[in-house]
Amino acid sequence: MTENVHVISAAMIPFGKHRSSSYVGLAVPPLVDALREAGVTKSDIDAVYVGHSYGGMMTGQRICKEIGLGTVPTVNVDNACSSGATAMHEAWTAISQGTIDVAVVIGVEKLTQFGGGALPLAAEDREVKQGIIMPAVYAMRATRYLNDTAATPEDLALISVKARKHGALNPFAQFRSEVTVEEVLAARPVADPFTLLMCCPTGDGAAVVVLASDRARKKHGRAPSMRIAASVLHSGHVAEGFRDMTKPEISYDSARDAYAQAGIEPKDLDMIELHDAFSIAELIYYEAFGLAERGRAVDLIRDGKTTFGGDVVVNPSGGLLAKGHPVGASGVAQIAEAYWQLTGQAGARQIDDPRWAMTHVTGGGTAGLDHGACTIHIFEAER
């Protein structure tokens, strides 16, 4: 028997440079807030799942002990940028199978520990040994996409403009100022064709959601909730030699399976939080999710179809480009945004009467894979 699983609360801290905070210091405040909002006590919690990539040993246990939470299973999950969303998938699996009733999912990361620059990748990877870094990977994708389609650097800038406009409405975003196309194009070059404002910032942050089964939701029913209609986790397709970098199979396959699991189509979505680590990603994922035909994603951004008042609002939070990208926390923060939108708690950035939301986050940096992991969730508002 498969149980329904519901998100019954969400909390996070503003993403940014929290240099004086530890992993514990980042995660405890939203953990306390999420439990309080859900009406859940420590004795109600059956398991805790914690996503992070650079937190070290027993990060989850170090966080939980600060609120006196012990004995329950605490699972630490590392799946690169998909860590938090993978932790969510594990919690959903346990509840949907009837193993537990209440789970806490924490995503946390402190990237200021590295002092700036590109994030470290696995030293033994053959491409990393040759000097590959993630800005270069996405820059190659962008170069190929601009060559093969009608997209231009101005379109990449439009994506950043949209992200910053959305982020200006989000009190949790790392960047809350709007920018123009001209400012984006004139910013410092990073990796051709990207300028600095086409790249997500590094920073620190934490987000927490509380999940419940049907019976637990009824018991702790004071908070609004959303139903998890699909939870899909894929690992990357192995291919040596040439591959089309503008068509990441892992995201195409994950989206296909998520739509099938939820019983909906792309046109049903009211909002999407997707992995826009660099501006080109948004165009590529429009196509992967079936929002546009191959090579035609630029039509959506040029025509305003993916902002407020359009067909589907993409990254109403500001996305990684504006909200920031503390990698282990990003997937859970996306889910928090979906929760606030579907329960009418998103404030100035509230979408008009949304029913369906999708979140998407990938983790990469491994030679031979399109990405190492991809996690997609689809949520339905509960009226």
Side-chain angles (χ1 to χ4, degrees):
M1 177 179 178
T2 301
E3 297 274 353
N4 282 320
V5 185
H6 313 267
V7 179
I8 62 172
S9 74
M12 62 181 288
I13 62 171
F15 286 179
K17 309 289 187 182
H18 300 282
R19 300 183 191 279
S20 63
S21 294
S22 64
Y23 274 74
V24 172
L26 294 168
V28 166
L31 173 59
V32 171
D33 289 345
L35 295 179
R36 182 184 297 118
E37 179 188 336
V40 168
T41 65
K42 289 179 287 186
S43 62
D44 296 316
I45 299 170
D46 297 313
V48 179
Y49 298 84
V50 184
H52 62 91
S53 285
Y54 300 106
M57 295 175 62
M58 299 291 123
T59 297
Q61 285 84 347
R62 299 200 312 268
I63 294 166
C64 290
K65 79 178 181 63
E66 290 299 313
I67 65 167
L69 178 59
T71 73
V72 302
T74 300
V75 180
N76 291 281
V77 178
D78 169 17
N79 234 355
C81 301
S82 198
S83 296
T86 302
M88 176 75 169
H89 176 75
E90 293 301 304
W92 169 84
T93 299
I95 297 176
S96 68
Q97 293 178 350
T99 305
I100 62 175
D101 282 312
V102 175
V104 175
V105 180
I106 302 170
V108 59
E109 206 74 80
K110 181 178 172 63
L111 298 182
T112 54
Q113 65 183 295
F114 300 115
L119 294 181
L121 302 175
E124 71 271 16
D125 186 271
R126 67 176 185 272
E127 291 183 352
V128 174
K129 288 180 179 179
Q130 297 299 315
I132 198 70
I133 56 176
M134 295 312 296
V137 172
Y138 279 90
M140 287 189 285
R141 290 184 180 130
T143 299
R144 185 71 196 195
Y145 192 87
L146 297 186
N147 179 77
D148 292 350
T149 72
T152 67
E154 286 74 17
D155 294 312
L156 300 181
L158 278 174
I159 293 165
S160 298
V161 169
K162 176 177 72 71
R164 288 297 195 95
K165 184 175 182 179
H166 292 181
L169 303 174
N170 184 0
F172 298 104
Q174 186 165 342
F175 293 141
R176 298 193 59 200
S177 59
E178 296 191 35
V179 295
T180 65
V181 168
E182 292 74 22
E183 288 172 329
V184 175
L185 293 174
R188 173 169 63 85
V190 172
D192 188 49
F194 297 144
T195 68
L196 185 65
L197 297 182
M198 296 176 187
C199 310
C200 69
T202 58
D204 314 318
V208 179
V209 295
V210 178
L211 275 56
S213 65
D214 280 331
R215 52 187 168 271
R217 175 181 173 239
K218 292 175 183 177
K219 178 181 177 182
H220 307 286
R222 75 179 192 183
S225 63
M226 66 180 182
R227 182 179 70 90
I228 304 173
S231 181
V232 171
L233 170 64
H234 281 189
S235 291
H237 174 71
V238 179
E240 301 296 343
F242 173 81
R243 75 186 321 143
D244 185 348
M245 297 182 73
T246 68
K247 187 179 181 182
E249 302 99 326
I250 192 171
S251 289
Y252 277 80
D253 294 346
S254 297
R256 177 202 64 213
D257 292 350
Y259 290 139
Q261 191 178 126
I264 67 168
E265 300 177 21
K267 64 181 179 62
D268 296 317
L269 292 170
D270 299 293
M271 66 158 283
I272 301 171
E273 284 281 315
L274 58 76
H275 189 102
D276 61 328
F278 300 86
S279 54
I280 186 59
E282 190 158 318
L283 295 180
I284 288 173
Y285 293 137
Y286 288 172
E287 297 172 8
F289 300 160
L291 305 179
E293 296 179 3
R294 286 271 284 163
R296 301 304 300 271
V298 289
D299 296 341
L300 298 183
I301 192 68
R302 291 173 180 174
D303 296 341
K305 299 294 187 182
T306 55
T307 188
F308 296 95
D311 295 338
V312 56
V313 185
V314 175
N315 291 338
S317 70
L320 309 186
L321 288 171
K323 183 177 59 185
H325 186 26
V327 294
S330 292
V332 183
Q334 290 178 335
I335 294 162
E337 180 69 19
Y339 173 79
W340 289 322
Q341 291 287 352
L342 294 191
T343 58
Q345 302 180 76
R349 65 190 186 282
Q350 179 65 53
I351 298 168
D352 184 26
D353 195 29
R355 179 182 177 188
W356 294 101
M358 184 168 83
T359 63
H360 157 270
V361 63
T362 64
T366 303
L369 300 177
D370 48 352
H371 282 103
C374 178
T375 316
I376 289 184
H377 288 90
I378 294 178
F379 304 97
E380 182 180 20
E382 297 186 297
R383 309 301 185 185

